[in-house]
Amino acid sequence: MVNDTLQVDLAVIGAGPAGQKGAIQAAKAGKTVVIVDRLGVLGGACLNQGTVPSKTLRSAILDLTGFIQSTHFGQEVRQLGDISVQDLRIRVKRVIEDENETLAQQCAANDVATVFGAARFANSHAIEVADQNGAVTARVEADKILIATGSRPRHPIDLPESDGLFVDSDIVFNMDNIPRSLIVLGGGIIGCEYATMFAALGVDVMLMDRRDDLLRMLDNEIAGAFVDFISQMPHMTIRLGQSIDRLQVGADGTRAQVVDKEGGMLEAECLFYSMGRVANIHGLALERAGIELDDLGYLPVNTLFQTSVGHIYAAGDVIGPPALASTSVEQGRLAVRNAFLLKSHHFPEFFPYGIYTIPEISSVGPTEEELKDKGIRYLVGRAKYAEMARGPIAGDTRGLIKLLFHAETREVLAVHIIGTHATELVSLGQMALDHRVRLDYFVDTIFNYPTFAEGFRIAALNGLNKLSEGDWS
Amino acid sequence: MVERIETDLAVIGAGPAGQKGAIQAAKVGRRALVVDRLNQLGGACLNQGTIPSKTLREAILDFRGFCDRSSAAAEQISIEDLDHRVRRVVEDQNCLIARQFDKNDIRYVSGAARFIDRDTMTVCDDKRNQTHEIRAERFLVATGSRPRNPGDVPFDQDTILDSDRLLRLKQLPQSMLVLGGGVIGSEYATMFAALGTAVILIDRADRPLSHLDAEVGRKFGDYIEAIGVQLQMGRTIVRIGRGADGGAEAETTTGEVFRADCLFYALGRQANVEELGLERAGVNIDENGYIAVNALFESDNPRVYGAGDVIGRGSLASIAMEQGRLAVRNAFSLKTGQFPEFFPYGIYTIPEVAGIGPTQEELENQGVHFQVGLAYYYELGRGPIAGDSTGMFKLIFHAETLEVLAVHIIGTNATELVHIGQVAIDFHARAHYFIDQIFNYPTFAEGYRVAALNGLNKLAASRQSYASE
C-alpha cells in the first residue's frame, strides 16, 4: 500500500557521489528534492563498498606496514601476523560511519528528503519505492529525475557456489580473516589496487589477466614502470595472457581454483574477481519511462547528461566511463544545473585519473601513444623521484614524473605520474593544461624544498634541454 | 706547491645556491669551479640543516604513525634508527651532487677561500697552507649562514645546543627547552614532542611562527599544544646556563626560571662572511651583516655576485637555488627574469605549514577588498582516510575580480599542495576555476574546491544581505 506520495522538483535515484551532489545542487538552487536509495544509507557503493573503504584500507596498510619506506631503507616490512583484520576493519568502519553521518547532515541541512527502498518508474514523471518484499511504500512525482544508480561488479559467468571463497569488491570487506594466499582475476584498476594492497600486507597474491598487459589505459611507459615495480614486490606473482577455462572449488572445499585452457590449475585460499563493472539498471522499469539503453548496458546521455527522455537525466557509473567518483560528482552537478537551466558549462576537457595502487598512479591529458597517433610534435621531460631531494627522504626513489609538451609551443600537453602522492601532484599538471602553461614556467618557478612537486621543474629542465639550446638549468 | 687556476666562474660554497650557480654556468659552456671548506658537497643545507631535519621528521612520522594507529605493541624509537636513515639520505644526496658535478665538468676544490684582490682568490687547506690561486672572470659567493650564537651562551655538546649540535645528540632527552619560536625552533620543537620529549617553547612574540597569517598561526599554536608542546610566549630570556643537577636553565626578564634536560637555542642565523677577504675584493656588507647585492645579485664589485643565506633574503634552500641560478645568468649576461614576485614558503613542522601570497593581515593593511574561503581537512574525503582531520586550507581571493590572491595551508602535504595555489596566482585563476575543476577523489587537493565554494558562498550571502538592507 502506498502510504506516501511526494511531489518534488527533482527526484534522484541513487545516493552515491553523482546523486548526492546533484541533489545538493538542486537544493542550493531552491528546488525541492528527494533521494531514493536501495542501500538504506547514503554514499552509494563509493562510500560503502568501493572507493572510500578501499582507499582507507590502502592508507591503513601503508601506515601499518611502512611498506614504501621499509623496502627503501632495507628494514623489515611489518608482516601479516602483527596486523589483524580487526585493526583494518576498525579504521575502515570509522571512516564510513563518519562519512555517512556527514552526508546525512548535509542532506538535512539542505532539506533534501531521503527515502530508502528500491526505485522503479511508474511512468516518466513518477517513481515507486518498494521494500524488500516488493511492496510499494512510497511514490514520488517529480518534474525532473536524475538516475544515478551506479554500477556493481561483473560476475564471471560460471561462478561456483561457495562459502566466501570467491569475492568481489563489494564483499571483500566482509572477510573474517585475511587469507594467506589470494588469486586476483582481472588486471584493471580495481584488480591492481587490491592485488598490490594485499601483497603489501604479506598475502601471497597471484594477479592474473587474459591479456598481456596491466592497466591498459595508461601511458605505456608508466604502465611498464608499474609492472616493473610490482614484479619486485615480495608476495606478488603476475600471470598475464592466461586463458581461463573455469573456476572451481577444491576437493576439501577450502580452496578456490582456476583451471586454464591447457588444463593447468592454480589455487589459493581466496579468489578476488574484478572483471569490470555493470550498470545498475535492473528493476528500474526504464521501459515505463521510455528510456533506452546502449549496447553495453549503459544509459546513453547527450553532453547535457539528458537521456532519451528530455526531463530525465543520468550521471555517474550508470552512463559508463570514466566512472570515477570525481567525475561522477561533476556530472551530477552539471546534470542538475542543466535540468533547471542554471548557468552551466561543458564537462571539462581535461580531468585526472587517480589509481590508488601501490605505488600510486595518476595522469591528466593524453598518453604518449595517443599523441603519436595524432601526429602531434611532442617532447618528453622526465624526473625520477630519486633525483628529487624528497624522494630519498620519504624513502620513495622509484617514482617518475613524465611531462609531455609541444615541441614548438612548449605548452604542457599531459602529465603522467607514478609514485608517492601522484594523485595530489597531478592537479598541478592539470592547472598547467588548463592555463596553457609553457614548460619554461616550471623552470622559473620556485618550489618548496624538499618536495615531490619539484619534480615538475626537474622534468621541465630535462625536456627543455632536449630542445636545441640545451642550456637550461 | 700552489696550483694556479684560471676559470670562468669560481663559486665559494657548495650549498644549494652554489651548486645551482655552478651547474648553470656549466650548462652554457662556461668552466666552473666550486670551493668549499666543509670538504663535502651540499653545504649546511645537506649536512646540518634542511635535509637531515626533514629526513628526521619523515622518519619520526613513519614510526609514530605505526605506534599511534596499530594495536600492536608500541615500538621504541631509538636514535640509531633515526640516525641510520638520516645518514643514508645524506650520503645518497652527496653522491647525487658529486655525480652532477662530474657530469657537468665542474671542478671541486676543498679548502678555505679568500679574496686577495678584486679578481683573485686563494685557497688554503686546514693547516692554513695555501694550495690554490684562482683567477676567475666572475665569482659567486654562496657561503651560507650558521646559527647565531652569542658569546654569553655556554654551548656544549649535550645540554646547551644549537641546531648543528642538536643533530648529534646521542640519546633522546626527556625534556627540552626550545628558545625561539621561529621556523627552526618550531620544527624541532614539534619533532621532539612527537618523539615523546616534554618540550617547552619560549619566545618573545605572542605566538610561535608569528610571521604567519594570524588565523593559520593560531591554529598551529593550538595544534602543537595539543600534541604536548608547552608554549611560554611573551617571554624574554636574559640568562642561559646549567643548573645544579647538570640540566639546562633559562631565566626570563621577570625572574621566571625554566629547566629541562637540555636547551635548544634557535634565535636566528648569521651570514658566513668572515675570513673571505671581502674588503680586498671591494665587496661590502650591509648593516645586518649580509653581503649587499642589487636586484641582479651583483655586489659592489661587478665581478662578484652573492646568493643564498649570505645575502639574507629569504633564507630557504628553494630561494637560494633560484638566486644562485639567476645570479650566474646575470653574471654572464644570459636571458633572465627577475626573481619571482610570488614564491611559496614551506615549514616542516608537525603539522606542515605552507603558503604563498600575502597574509590576511597584509591584505587588510593594503585595503584590498578580499574574501576568505576555508576548507577543513575533515571535510575532505582524504582527511579521515589518512587520519588527518585537523588540517585547514585558507584561500583568499579578490572580492570583485575573484582572482586568487593567496593560499595558506596547515596539515598533511601542505608543502606540496601549495604549488597548485602558486599556479593559480601566477596565471590569475579565479576562485570559480576550482569549482569547475575535477580533482582526484579522495585527495587533499580537493581542499581548493571546498575552500573556493566556501568563499564564494560567503560572498554571495554577504551580497544578498547587502541588497536586502
Side-chain angles (χ1 to χ4, degrees), chain A residues 56 63-64 69 72-73 78 87 91 326 333 345 352 354 356 362 421 423-424 426 428 430-431 434 441 444-450 452-453 473, chain B residues 24 62 66 69 71 75 85 88 317-318 321 325 339 344-346 348 385 413 415-416 418-419 422 426-427 433 436-440 442 444-445:
Chain A
T56 306
D63 284 354
L64 294 172
Q69 303 85 358
H72 177 76
F73 290 107
R78 286 178 282 255
D87 289 333
R91 194 149 153 186
S326 56
R333 186 175 82 101
H345 57 89
Y356 291 81
S362 196
H421 298 328
T423 56
E424 305 277 2
V426 80
L428 196 50
Q430 185 177 2
M431 297 279 309
D434 285 340
Y441 170 74
D444 296 331
T445 293
I446 293 180
F447 287 90
N448 277 324
Y449 177 87
F452 289 115
S473 91
Chain B
Q24 175 62 76
D62 286 350
F66 180 61
R69 288 164 184 160
S71 57
E75 217 175 322
R85 205 152 145 176
R88 164 94 189 263
S318 54
M321 290 182 212
R325 189 177 79 97
F339 193 78
Y345 65 86
Y348 291 81
I385 288 176
N413 290 353
T415 56
E416 303 277 1
V418 71
H419 299 108
Q422 184 173 14
D426 285 339
F427 287 86
Y433 169 75
D436 298 335
Q437 193 193 12
I438 293 173
F439 290 91
N440 277 323
F444 290 115

Coordinates of all heavy atoms in Angstrom, one line a residue, chain A residues 56 63-64 69 72-73 78 87 91 326 333 345 352 354 356 362 421 423-424 426 428 430-431 434 441 444-450 452-453 473, chain B residues 24 62 66 69 71 75 85 88 317-318 321 325 339 344-346 348 385 413 415-416 418-419 422 426-427 433 436-440 442 444-445:
Chain A
T56 N 40.8 3.8 2.3 CA 41.1 3.7 3.7 C 42.0 2.5 4.0 O 43.0 2.6 4.8 CB 39.8 3.7 4.5 OG1 39.0 4.8 4.1 CG2 40.1 3.9 6.0
D63 N 50.4 2.6 6.3 CA 50.8 3.1 7.7 C 51.3 1.9 8.5 O 52.3 2.0 9.2 CB 49.6 3.7 8.4 CG 49.4 5.1 7.9 OD1 50.1 5.6 7.1 OD2 48.4 5.7 8.3
L64 N 50.5 0.9 8.5 CA 50.8 -0.2 9.4 C 52.0 -1.0 9.0 O 52.7 -1.5 9.9 CB 49.5 -1.2 9.5 CG 48.3 -0.5 10.2 CD1 47.1 -1.5 10.0 CD2 48.5 -0.2 11.6
Q69 N 58.5 2.9 2.7 CA 59.8 3.2 3.3 C 60.6 2.0 3.7 O 61.8 2.0 3.5 CB 59.6 4.0 4.6 CG 58.7 5.3 4.5 CD 57.2 5.0 4.6 OE1 56.9 3.8 4.7 NE2 56.4 6.0 4.5
H72 N 62.6 0.7 0.9 CA 63.7 1.5 0.5 C 64.9 1.5 1.6 O 66.0 1.4 1.2 CB 63.3 3.0 0.4 CG 64.4 3.9 0.0 ND1 64.9 4.0 -1.2 CD2 65.0 4.8 0.8 CE1 65.9 4.9 -1.2 NE2 66.0 5.4 0.0
F73 N 64.5 1.6 2.8 CA 65.6 1.7 3.8 C 66.1 0.3 4.3 O 66.9 0.2 5.2 CB 65.1 2.5 5.0 CG 64.9 4.0 4.7 CD1 63.7 4.6 4.5 CD2 66.1 4.7 4.5 CE1 63.6 5.9 4.1 CE2 66.0 6.1 4.1 CZ 64.7 6.7 3.9
R78 N 56.7 -4.8 8.2 CA 56.0 -5.4 9.2 C 54.9 -6.3 8.6 O 54.3 -5.9 7.7 CB 55.3 -4.3 10.1 CG 56.4 -3.6 11.0 CD 55.8 -2.5 11.8 NE 55.6 -1.3 11.0 CZ 56.4 -0.3 11.1 NH1 57.4 -0.2 11.9 NH2 56.1 0.8 10.4
D87 N 42.2 -4.7 13.1 CA 42.9 -3.4 13.0 C 42.4 -2.6 11.8 O 42.1 -1.4 11.9 CB 44.4 -3.5 12.9 CG 45.0 -4.1 14.1 OD1 44.5 -3.8 15.2 OD2 46.1 -4.7 14.0
R91 N 39.4 0.8 11.4 CA 39.7 2.1 10.7 C 38.7 2.4 9.6 O 38.2 3.5 9.4 CB 41.1 2.0 10.2 CG 41.6 3.4 9.8 CD 43.1 3.5 10.0 NE 43.6 4.5 9.1 CZ 44.8 4.8 8.9 NH1 45.7 4.1 9.6 NH2 45.2 5.7 8.0
S326 N 35.2 11.1 -8.8 CA 35.5 12.5 -9.0 C 34.7 13.0 -10.2 O 34.1 14.1 -10.2 CB 36.9 12.8 -9.3 OG 37.4 11.9 -10.3
R333 N 26.4 17.3 -10.7 CA 26.2 18.7 -10.5 C 25.8 19.4 -11.8 O 24.8 20.1 -11.9 CB 27.5 19.3 -10.0 CG 27.4 20.8 -9.7 CD 28.8 21.3 -9.1 NE 29.7 21.6 -10.1 CZ 30.0 22.9 -10.6 NH1 29.3 23.9 -10.0 NH2 30.8 23.1 -11.5
H345 N 28.3 24.7 -17.8 CA 29.3 24.7 -18.8 C 29.5 23.2 -19.2 O 28.9 22.3 -18.6 CB 30.7 25.2 -18.2 CG 31.1 24.5 -17.0 ND1 31.9 23.4 -17.0 CD2 30.8 24.8 -15.7 CE1 32.1 23.0 -15.8 NE2 31.5 23.8 -15.0
P352 N 41.7 14.4 -14.2 CA 42.7 13.5 -13.9 C 42.2 12.1 -13.6 O 41.0 11.9 -13.3 CB 43.3 14.0 -12.6 CG 42.2 14.8 -12.0 CD 41.3 15.3 -13.1
G354 N 43.0 8.9 -11.2 CA 43.8 8.6 -10.0 C 43.7 7.1 -9.7 O 42.5 6.6 -9.6
Y356 N 44.8 4.1 -7.2 CA 45.4 4.0 -5.8 C 46.0 2.6 -5.6 O 45.7 1.9 -4.7 CB 44.3 4.3 -4.8 CG 43.9 5.8 -4.7 CD1 43.0 6.3 -5.7 CD2 44.5 6.7 -3.9 CE1 42.6 7.6 -5.7 CE2 44.1 8.0 -3.8 CZ 43.2 8.5 -4.8 OH 42.9 9.8 -4.8
S362 N 48.8 8.5 -11.4 CA 47.8 9.5 -11.8 C 48.2 10.2 -13.1 O 49.4 10.3 -13.3 CB 47.6 10.5 -10.7 OG 46.4 11.2 -10.9
H421 N 52.2 10.2 -3.6 CA 51.4 11.5 -3.8 C 51.0 11.8 -5.3 O 50.6 12.9 -5.6 CB 52.1 12.7 -3.2 CG 52.4 12.6 -1.8 ND1 51.5 12.0 -0.9 CD2 53.4 13.1 -1.0 CE1 52.0 12.1 0.3 NE2 53.1 12.8 0.3
T423 N 48.4 11.2 -7.0 CA 47.1 11.7 -7.2 C 46.9 13.1 -6.8 O 46.1 13.8 -7.3 CB 46.0 10.8 -6.4 OG1 46.4 10.8 -5.0 CG2 46.0 9.4 -6.9
E424 N 47.8 13.6 -5.8 CA 47.7 15.0 -5.4 C 48.5 15.9 -6.4 O 48.1 16.9 -6.8 CB 48.4 15.2 -4.1 CG 47.8 14.4 -2.9 CD 46.6 14.9 -2.3 OE1 46.1 16.0 -2.8 OE2 46.0 14.3 -1.4
V426 N 49.2 15.5 -9.5 CA 48.7 15.6 -10.9 C 47.9 16.9 -11.0 O 47.8 17.5 -12.1 CB 47.9 14.4 -11.3 CG1 46.5 14.4 -10.7 CG2 47.9 14.2 -12.8
L428 N 48.6 19.8 -10.2 CA 49.5 20.8 -10.6 C 49.6 20.7 -12.2 O 49.6 21.8 -12.9 CB 50.8 20.6 -10.0 CG 51.9 21.7 -9.9 CD1 51.3 23.0 -9.4 CD2 53.0 21.2 -9.0
Q430 N 47.4 19.5 -14.1 CA 46.1 19.9 -14.7 C 45.9 21.4 -14.8 O 45.4 21.9 -15.7 CB 45.0 19.3 -13.7 CG 43.6 19.5 -14.2 CD 42.6 18.9 -13.3 OE1 43.0 18.3 -12.3 NE2 41.4 18.9 -13.7
M431 N 46.4 22.1 -13.7 CA 46.4 23.6 -13.8 C 47.2 24.0 -15.0 O 46.8 25.0 -15.7 CB 47.1 24.1 -12.5 CG 46.5 23.9 -11.2 SD 45.2 25.0 -10.7 CE 45.8 26.6 -11.0
D434 N 45.1 23.4 -18.2 CA 44.0 24.3 -18.2 C 44.4 25.8 -18.5 O 43.7 26.5 -19.2 CB 43.2 24.3 -16.9 CG 42.4 23.1 -16.8 OD1 42.1 22.4 -17.8 OD2 42.0 22.7 -15.7
Y441 N 57.7 27.9 -17.6 CA 57.2 28.4 -16.3 C 57.7 27.5 -15.1 O 58.1 28.1 -14.1 CB 55.6 28.3 -16.3 CG 55.0 28.5 -15.0 CD1 55.0 29.8 -14.4 CD2 54.5 27.5 -14.2 CE1 54.4 30.0 -13.2 CE2 53.9 27.7 -13.0 CZ 53.9 29.0 -12.5 OH 53.3 29.2 -11.2
D444 N 61.2 28.5 -14.1 CA 61.4 29.8 -13.5 C 60.6 29.9 -12.1 O 60.6 31.0 -11.5 CB 60.9 30.9 -14.4 CG 61.8 31.0 -15.6 OD1 62.9 30.7 -15.6 OD2 61.2 31.4 -16.7
T445 N 60.0 28.8 -11.7 CA 59.2 28.9 -10.5 C 59.9 28.3 -9.4 O 60.7 27.4 -9.5 CB 57.9 28.0 -10.8 OG1 57.1 28.7 -11.8 CG2 57.1 27.9 -9.5
I446 N 59.7 28.9 -8.2 CA 60.3 28.4 -7.0 C 59.4 27.4 -6.4 O 58.2 27.6 -6.1 CB 60.7 29.5 -6.0 CG1 61.7 30.4 -6.6 CG2 61.1 29.0 -4.7 CD1 62.1 31.6 -5.8
F447 N 59.9 26.2 -6.2 CA 59.1 25.1 -5.5 C 59.7 25.0 -4.1 O 60.9 25.1 -3.8 CB 59.3 23.8 -6.2 CG 58.6 23.7 -7.5 CD1 59.2 24.1 -8.7 CD2 57.3 23.3 -7.6 CE1 58.5 24.0 -9.9 CE2 56.6 23.2 -8.8 CZ 57.2 23.6 -9.9
N448 N 58.8 24.7 -3.1 CA 59.3 24.3 -1.8 C 60.3 23.2 -1.9 O 60.2 22.3 -2.7 CB 58.1 23.9 -0.9 CG 57.4 25.0 -0.3 OD1 58.0 26.1 0.0 ND2 56.1 24.9 -0.2
Y449 N 61.3 23.3 -1.0 CA 62.3 22.3 -1.0 C 62.4 21.7 0.4 O 62.5 22.4 1.4 CB 63.7 22.9 -1.3 CG 64.9 22.0 -1.3 CD1 65.2 21.3 -2.4 CD2 65.6 21.9 -0.1 CE1 66.3 20.5 -2.4 CE2 66.7 21.1 -0.1 CZ 67.1 20.4 -1.2 OH 68.2 19.5 -1.2
P450 N 62.4 20.4 0.6 CA 62.3 19.4 -0.4 C 60.8 18.9 -0.6 O 60.1 18.6 0.3 CB 63.1 18.2 0.2 CG 62.9 18.4 1.7 CD 62.6 19.9 1.9
F452 N 58.0 16.7 -3.6 CA 57.9 15.9 -4.9 C 57.5 16.9 -6.0 O 57.8 16.6 -7.1 CB 56.9 14.8 -4.7 CG 57.3 13.7 -3.8 CD1 56.6 13.5 -2.6 CD2 58.3 12.9 -4.2 CE1 57.0 12.4 -1.8 CE2 58.7 11.8 -3.4 CZ 58.0 11.6 -2.2
A453 N 56.8 18.0 -5.6 CA 56.3 18.9 -6.7 C 57.5 19.5 -7.5 O 57.4 19.8 -8.6 CB 55.6 20.0 -6.0
S473 N 69.1 25.3 -16.8 CA 69.5 24.7 -15.6 C 68.5 25.1 -14.5 O 67.7 26.1 -14.7 CB 70.9 25.1 -15.2 OG 70.9 26.3 -14.4
Chain B
Q24 N 74.5 26.0 -13.6 CA 74.0 27.0 -14.7 C 75.2 27.4 -15.6 O 75.0 27.4 -16.8 CB 73.4 28.2 -14.0 CG 72.9 29.2 -15.0 CD 71.9 28.7 -16.0 OE1 70.7 28.6 -15.6 NE2 72.3 28.4 -17.2
D62 N 56.8 8.4 10.2 CA 56.6 7.0 9.9 C 56.5 6.1 11.1 O 55.6 5.3 11.3 CB 57.7 6.4 9.1 CG 57.7 7.0 7.6 OD1 56.7 7.6 7.3 OD2 58.7 6.7 6.9
F66 N 53.0 4.4 13.0 CA 52.8 3.0 13.4 C 52.4 2.8 14.8 O 51.4 2.1 15.1 CB 54.1 2.3 13.1 CG 54.1 0.8 13.5 CD1 53.2 0.0 12.8 CD2 54.8 0.3 14.5 CE1 53.1 -1.4 13.1 CE2 54.8 -1.1 14.8 CZ 53.9 -1.9 14.1
R69 N 48.6 4.1 15.4 CA 47.4 3.5 14.7 C 47.3 2.0 14.8 O 46.3 1.5 14.4 CB 47.5 3.9 13.2 CG 47.2 5.4 13.1 CD 47.7 5.8 11.7 NE 47.5 7.3 11.6 CZ 48.1 8.0 10.7 NH1 48.9 7.5 9.9 NH2 47.9 9.3 10.7
S71 N 47.3 -1.7 17.0 CA 47.0 -2.2 18.3 C 48.3 -3.0 18.7 O 48.4 -3.5 19.9 CB 45.8 -3.0 18.4 OG 45.9 -4.1 17.4
E75 N 56.3 0.7 19.4 CA 57.7 0.4 19.1 C 58.5 1.5 19.8 O 58.2 2.6 19.7 CB 57.9 0.5 17.6 CG 58.9 -0.6 17.1 CD 58.9 -0.5 15.6 OE1 57.9 -0.3 15.0 OE2 60.0 -0.6 15.1
R85 N 68.7 6.4 9.1 CA 68.0 6.9 8.0 C 68.6 8.2 7.5 O 68.8 8.5 6.3 CB 66.6 7.1 8.4 CG 65.7 7.0 7.2 CD 64.3 6.5 7.6 NE 63.4 7.2 6.8 CZ 62.1 7.0 6.8 NH1 61.6 6.1 7.7 NH2 61.3 7.6 6.1
R88 N 71.9 7.7 5.7 CA 71.7 7.1 4.4 C 71.3 8.2 3.4 O 71.8 8.3 2.2 CB 70.6 6.0 4.5 CG 70.0 5.6 3.2 CD 70.7 4.4 2.6 NE 70.2 4.1 1.3 CZ 69.2 3.3 1.0 NH1 68.7 2.5 1.9 NH2 68.8 3.1 -0.2
A317 N 66.2 27.0 1.2 CA 67.0 26.3 0.2 C 66.4 26.6 -1.2 O 67.2 26.8 -2.1 CB 67.1 24.9 0.5
S318 N 65.1 26.6 -1.3 CA 64.4 26.8 -2.5 C 64.8 28.1 -3.1 O 65.0 28.3 -4.3 CB 62.9 26.6 -2.4 OG 62.5 27.5 -1.4
M321 N 68.5 28.4 -4.3 CA 68.8 27.8 -5.6 C 68.5 28.7 -6.7 O 69.3 28.9 -7.7 CB 68.0 26.5 -5.8 CG 68.3 25.4 -4.9 SD 67.3 24.0 -5.3 CE 67.2 23.3 -3.7
R325 N 71.0 30.5 -9.5 CA 70.8 30.3 -10.9 C 70.7 31.7 -11.6 O 71.4 31.9 -12.6 CB 69.6 29.5 -11.1 CG 69.3 29.1 -12.6 CD 68.1 28.3 -12.7 NE 66.9 29.1 -12.7 CZ 66.2 29.5 -13.8 NH1 66.7 29.1 -15.0 NH2 65.2 30.2 -13.7
F339 N 63.7 38.0 -10.1 CA 63.3 37.0 -9.1 C 61.8 37.0 -8.9 O 61.2 38.0 -8.9 CB 63.9 37.4 -7.7 CG 63.9 36.3 -6.7 CD1 64.8 35.2 -6.8 CD2 62.9 36.3 -5.7 CE1 64.7 34.2 -5.9 CE2 62.9 35.3 -4.8 CZ 63.8 34.2 -4.9
P344 N 56.5 30.2 -2.8 CA 55.9 29.6 -1.6 C 56.9 29.5 -0.4 O 58.1 29.6 -0.6 CB 55.6 28.2 -2.1 CG 56.6 27.9 -3.1 CD 57.0 29.2 -3.8
Y345 N 56.3 29.5 0.8 CA 57.2 29.1 1.9 C 56.7 27.8 2.4 O 55.5 27.4 2.2 CB 57.1 30.2 3.0 CG 55.7 30.3 3.7 CD1 55.3 29.5 4.7 CD2 54.8 31.2 3.2 CE1 54.0 29.6 5.3 CE2 53.5 31.3 3.7 CZ 53.2 30.5 4.8 OH 51.9 30.6 5.3
G346 N 57.6 27.0 2.9 CA 57.2 25.7 3.4 C 57.9 25.4 4.8 O 59.1 25.6 4.9
Y348 N 58.4 22.8 7.8 CA 58.3 21.3 8.0 C 58.1 21.0 9.5 O 58.8 20.2 10.1 CB 59.5 20.6 7.4 CG 59.4 20.7 5.9 CD1 59.9 21.8 5.2 CD2 58.9 19.6 5.2 CE1 59.8 21.8 3.8 CE2 58.9 19.7 3.8 CZ 59.3 20.8 3.1 OH 59.3 20.8 1.7
I385 N 40.5 9.5 5.9 CA 41.2 8.3 5.4 C 42.6 8.2 5.8 O 43.2 7.2 6.2 CB 41.0 8.2 3.8 CG1 39.6 7.9 3.4 CG2 42.0 7.2 3.2 CD1 39.4 7.9 1.9
N413 N 50.9 17.2 3.8 CA 51.2 17.6 2.4 C 51.1 19.0 2.1 O 51.1 19.4 0.9 CB 50.4 16.8 1.4 CG 50.7 15.3 1.4 OD1 51.7 14.9 2.0 ND2 50.0 14.5 0.7
T415 N 53.2 21.4 2.1 CA 54.3 22.0 1.3 C 54.1 21.6 -0.2 O 54.6 22.3 -1.1 CB 55.6 21.5 1.8 OG1 55.7 20.1 1.8 CG2 55.9 22.0 3.2
E416 N 53.5 20.4 -0.5 CA 53.2 20.0 -1.9 C 52.0 20.8 -2.4 O 52.1 21.2 -3.6 CB 53.0 18.5 -1.9 CG 54.0 17.6 -1.3 CD 55.2 17.3 -2.3 OE1 55.2 17.8 -3.4 OE2 56.1 16.6 -1.9
V418 N 50.6 23.5 -1.9 CA 50.7 25.0 -2.0 C 51.0 25.3 -3.5 O 50.6 26.4 -4.0 CB 51.7 25.6 -1.1 CG1 53.1 25.3 -1.4 CG2 51.4 27.1 -1.0
H419 N 51.7 24.4 -4.2 CA 52.1 24.8 -5.6 C 50.9 24.9 -6.5 O 51.0 25.6 -7.5 CB 53.0 23.7 -6.1 CG 54.3 23.7 -5.3 ND1 54.6 22.7 -4.5 CD2 55.3 24.6 -5.1 CE1 55.7 22.9 -3.8 NE2 56.2 24.1 -4.2
Q422 N 50.0 28.3 -6.2 CA 51.0 29.2 -6.9 C 50.7 29.3 -8.4 O 50.7 30.4 -8.9 CB 52.4 28.5 -6.7 CG 53.5 29.2 -7.3 CD 54.8 28.6 -6.9 OE1 54.9 27.4 -6.5 NE2 55.9 29.3 -7.1
D426 N 49.9 32.8 -10.3 CA 50.7 33.2 -11.4 C 49.9 33.4 -12.7 O 50.2 34.2 -13.6 CB 51.8 32.2 -11.6 CG 52.9 32.4 -10.6 OD1 53.0 33.5 -10.0 OD2 53.7 31.4 -10.4
F427 N 48.8 32.6 -12.8 CA 48.0 32.7 -14.0 C 46.7 33.3 -13.8 O 45.7 33.2 -14.6 CB 47.9 31.3 -14.7 CG 49.2 30.8 -15.3 CD1 50.1 30.2 -14.5 CD2 49.5 31.1 -16.6 CE1 51.4 29.8 -15.0 CE2 50.7 30.7 -17.1 CZ 51.6 30.1 -16.4
Y433 N 37.4 28.8 -10.9 CA 38.1 27.7 -11.6 C 38.2 26.4 -10.8 O 38.0 25.3 -11.3 CB 39.6 28.2 -11.9 CG 40.5 27.1 -12.4 CD1 40.3 26.5 -13.6 CD2 41.4 26.5 -11.5 CE1 41.1 25.5 -14.1 CE2 42.2 25.4 -11.9 CZ 42.0 24.9 -13.2 OH 42.8 23.9 -13.6
D436 N 34.9 24.4 -10.9 CA 34.6 23.7 -12.2 C 35.6 22.6 -12.5 O 35.5 21.9 -13.5 CB 34.5 24.7 -13.3 CG 33.4 25.7 -13.1 OD1 32.4 25.3 -12.4 OD2 33.4 26.8 -13.6
Q437 N 36.7 22.6 -11.7 CA 37.7 21.6 -12.0 C 37.4 20.3 -11.3 O 36.8 20.3 -10.2 CB 39.1 22.2 -11.5 CG 40.3 21.4 -12.0 CD 41.5 21.8 -11.3 OE1 41.5 22.4 -10.2 NE2 42.6 21.3 -11.8
I438 N 37.9 19.2 -11.9 CA 37.7 17.9 -11.3 C 39.0 17.5 -10.6 O 40.1 17.5 -11.2 CB 37.4 16.8 -12.3 CG1 36.0 17.1 -12.9 CG2 37.4 15.4 -11.8 CD1 35.5 16.3 -14.0
F439 N 39.0 17.2 -9.3 CA 40.1 16.8 -8.6 C 40.0 15.3 -8.4 O 38.9 14.8 -8.3 CB 40.2 17.4 -7.2 CG 40.5 18.9 -7.3 CD1 39.5 19.9 -7.3 CD2 41.8 19.3 -7.2 CE1 39.8 21.2 -7.4 CE2 42.2 20.7 -7.2 CZ 41.2 21.6 -7.3
N440 N 41.1 14.6 -8.3 CA 41.1 13.2 -8.0 C 40.3 13.0 -6.6 O 40.5 13.9 -5.8 CB 42.5 12.6 -7.8 CG 43.1 12.2 -9.1 OD1 42.3 11.7 -10.0 ND2 44.3 12.4 -9.3
P442 N 39.8 10.2 -3.5 CA 39.9 11.2 -2.5 C 41.4 11.8 -2.4 O 42.3 11.1 -2.3 CB 39.7 10.5 -1.2 CG 40.1 9.0 -1.5 CD 40.1 8.9 -3.0
F444 N 43.8 15.5 -0.9 CA 43.7 16.7 -0.1 C 43.6 17.9 -1.1 O 43.1 18.9 -0.7 CB 45.0 16.9 0.7 CG 45.2 15.9 1.8 CD1 46.2 15.0 1.8 CD2 44.3 16.0 2.9 CE1 46.3 14.1 2.9 CE2 44.4 15.1 4.0 CZ 45.5 14.2 4.0
A445 N 44.0 17.7 -2.3 CA 44.0 18.8 -3.3 C 42.5 19.3 -3.5 O 42.3 20.5 -3.8 CB 44.6 18.4 -4.6

